[in-house]
Amino acid sequence: MINKMYSSIPDAVADIPDGATVMVGGFGASGSPIELIHALIDQGARNLTVINNNTGNGDVGLAALIGNGQVSKMICSFPRSSQSRVFPRLYKEGRIELELVPQGTLAERIRAAGAGIPAFYTPTTVGTVLAEGKESREFEGRTYVMEPWLKADFALIKCEVADPLGNLTYNKTARNFSPLMCMAATTTIVQTKKRVAAGEIDPEHVITPGIFVNRIVEVPDPVHEDTLIAEGRSYP
Amino acid sequence: MSTGWSREEMAARAALDIPDGSYVNLGIGIPELVTRFVPEGREFIYHTENGMLGMGPPPADADRDLDLMNAGKKYVTAVPGAAYFHHADSFSMIRGGHIDVCVLGTMQVASNGDIANWSTGAPDAIPAVGGAMDLVQGVKHIYVITQHTTRTGEPKLVERCSYPLTGPGVVSRIFTDLAVVDVTDNGFQVVELAPGVTFAEVESKTGAPILPPA
């Protein structure tokens, strides 16, 4: 009988090795899997390439992972925001690499990886510096640039409800990149606010089908990045 | 000196040019004010890149839902009939030409419709593009709301952008504090002057040839 539940957060992230590529769900604070990220900080894997829309805020979650020196490269669309300090500092010191990807291209590159499509053409970046060096082609008289798929070894995901088969639902705009990342990573690790028995999620309402999920840990009362920052918290 | 339009009046003027029933994406800053000036009898449905159609106004602090944010990472609400979806669907709406109007702020806009609103290109700047390049290539009508000049008086409407482009030839209409300006095959064309503003003033504050109201 399939049961993807893990009882311990540290066990769920224990085998993420140095040098791994890790997708982290969330858009800013919403949907950020803080408990899984903090477990990765405790675990200590280094030289990671991390894929997220942003680079974290304050000194918790993704920003803390970066601040702990564990991330050598970020792939994201918007690396600075009002409360992001850690990434900008390391970037200006030349201690972290940045691959800047427009948000829609980032989403589609992740989706393409999960869908087994090695590359696609998009009009986004045509005529801009971000298209330099990219293969382009005309379709029906309009120019498009080719973008490659974006895979990962692991994905760290936060969801609202999960069953032991890995079927997931999310809450509101906390969904964002997470369903795509579940598809694109070799090993998808999910923290869920609520665990239910198989069959309790209406099959019509499943957002991420369990085939894309490998491990689930229950985190019934997850912390929120904005709350931690408002409280002036840092990690570790 | 002219009086011109306030930020609110610029947003209200832009809202007048958005048809009833439009799916609308609003950039950060003055464009966000458009929601306050929807003309009587019209309904717009707001899209936010992080996965929602039917975005409503900000909640009272006590009603904040930490999982309900807009693309500017501000807390928002959902109107009846709203829908949530993942990022690939959200940008399919954008890139696939399903969003009718996008209203953006800008650093520069050129008389050929080029827009530069993501980077100054300064060597020490941290580049951040977000969804801007997807929006300008995918949305059917790209409107810009901007002050006519920078704080130091430099024209923001120019012949060619000096900052790195967000997209080439994409802007159709510009709403400034001084005028409504169209991008035409003949360059900038004033459609309407703000109250108390003369064409001569607009022309003197524009960094490219500009045609008077027809």
Side-chain angles (χ1 to χ4, degrees):
Chain A
M1 178 148 169
I2 296 172
N3 184 0
K4 299 178 180 177
M5 299 302 301
Y6 275 55
S7 54
S8 125
I9 302 176
D11 286 354
V13 302
D15 61 349
I16 298 178
D18 288 358
T21 297
V22 182
M23 290 176 174
V24 177
F27 181 91
S30 61
S32 186
I34 299 286
E35 283 78 3
L36 290 176
I37 298 169
H38 287 175
L40 184 55
I41 292 173
D42 297 342
Q43 189 257 34
R46 302 184 72 79
N47 194 26
L48 302 172
T49 294
V50 171
I51 300 161
N52 179 267
N53 188 60
N54 306 97
T55 61
N57 285 298
D59 296 294
V60 295
L62 178 54
L65 182 71
I66 295 168
N68 205 36
Q70 293 174 252
V71 181
S72 54
K73 179 179 179 181
M74 278 301 310
I75 302 176
C76 69
S77 87
F78 208 85
R80 53 178 157 80
S81 47
S82 56
Q83 304 210 66
S84 80
R85 300 181 296 267
V86 173
F87 178 86
R89 176 169 53 79
L90 293 179
Y91 181 77
K92 286 186 174 173
E93 291 170 6
R95 289 161 61 195
I96 191 164
E97 194 184 337
L98 169 66
E99 180 179 340
L100 188 73
V101 183
Q103 202 173 128
T105 299
L106 182 64
E108 195 63 17
R109 287 178 63 188
I110 296 168
R111 198 196 70 82
I117 294 171
F120 59 91
Y121 286 90
T122 174
T124 304
T125 74
V126 168
T128 78
V129 293
L130 294 190
E132 284 170 11
K134 287 178 184 167
E135 184 181 324
S136 68
R137 192 171 154 181
E138 259 190 38
F139 295 90
E140 298 182 9
R142 187 174 175 189
T143 303
Y144 296 80
V145 298
M146 192 176 78
E147 293 284 358
W149 58 11
L150 186 56
K151 301 177 182 184
D153 303 310
F154 293 87
L156 304 182
I157 299 299
K158 180 185 188 180
C159 81
E160 187 73 7
V161 181
D163 70 22
L165 296 170
N167 295 307
L168 311 180
T169 69
Y170 301 86
N171 191 36
K172 304 185 180 76
T173 58
R175 185 184 309 185
N176 57 68
F177 286 89
S178 295
L180 314 172
M181 291 177 168
C182 287
M183 296 166 64
T186 306
T187 302
T188 294
I189 306 167
V190 177
Q191 64 170 79
T192 183
K193 191 170 175 183
K194 190 177 176 198
R195 173 197 176 160
V196 298
E200 282 192 51
I201 303 173
D202 183 336
E204 293 282 8
H205 296 166
V206 169
I207 303 299
T208 292
I211 193 170
F212 298 125
V213 171
N214 301 93
R215 303 171 188 170
I216 308 151
V217 284
E218 193 177 10
V219 179
D221 192 16
V223 295
H224 194 276
E225 189 177 276
D226 279 358
T227 310
L228 294 177
I229 291 169
E231 292 169 354
R233 302 268 290 277
S234 61
Y235 197 88
Chain B
M1 285 303 289
S2 68
T3 47
W5 279 313
S6 67
R7 290 161 52 93
E8 286 74 16
E9 287 165 336
M10 290 157 68
R13 181 60 192 82
L16 280 182
D17 287 352
I18 301 175
D20 183 33
S22 292
Y23 290 94
V24 178
N25 183 294
L26 299 174
I28 293 166
I30 305 177
E32 290 176 286
L33 300 175
V34 167
T35 60
R36 292 206 237 146
F37 301 102
V38 179
E40 189 73 31
R42 289 188 213 176
E43 182 182 16
F44 304 159
I45 296 178
Y46 299 107
H47 171 267
T48 181
E49 294 97 294
N50 55 320
M52 179 185 192
L53 273 174
M55 179 175 62
D61 276 357
D63 299 330
R64 266 187 358 186
D65 184 324
L66 293 176
D67 284 338
L68 187 42
M69 291 178 151
N70 68 11
K73 289 152 186 131
K74 294 187 185 115
Y75 292 103
V76 293
T77 53
V79 300
Y84 302 114
F85 33 83
H86 61 59
H87 250 82
D89 280 354
S90 183
F91 279 82
S92 296
M93 293 173 195
I94 293 170
R95 215 189 295 100
H98 306 280
I99 307 289
D100 297 301
V101 176
C102 180
V103 186
L104 293 168
T106 199
M107 298 192 283
Q108 290 176 328
V109 56
S111 55
N112 62 357
D114 292 0
I115 180 170
N117 73 349
W118 73 283
S119 167
T120 61
D124 62 336
I126 298 170
V129 66
M133 288 188 181
D134 305 279
L135 284 162
V136 299
Q137 287 285 359
V139 175
K140 287 183 209 159
H141 300 284
I142 303 295
Y143 292 168
V144 164
I145 299 186
T146 180
Q147 304 294 337
H148 209 88
T149 58
T150 66
R151 284 197 184 90
T152 55
E154 299 295 314
K156 296 179 83 167
L157 281 64
V158 294
E159 190 142 24
R160 290 290 176 272
C161 295
S162 58
Y163 295 141
L165 292 190
T166 311
V170 294
V171 174
S172 55
R173 183 163 275 200
I174 307 157
F175 303 89
T176 79
D177 51 328
L178 304 181
V180 180
V181 178
D182 269 354
V183 173
T184 73
D185 292 342
N186 300 316
F188 290 133
Q189 159 90 57
V190 172
V191 175
E192 188 178 328
L193 293 164
V197 176
T198 63
F199 174 70
E201 179 182 356
V202 171
E203 192 174 32
S204 73
K205 291 180 175 174
T206 301
I210 185 164
L211 298 166

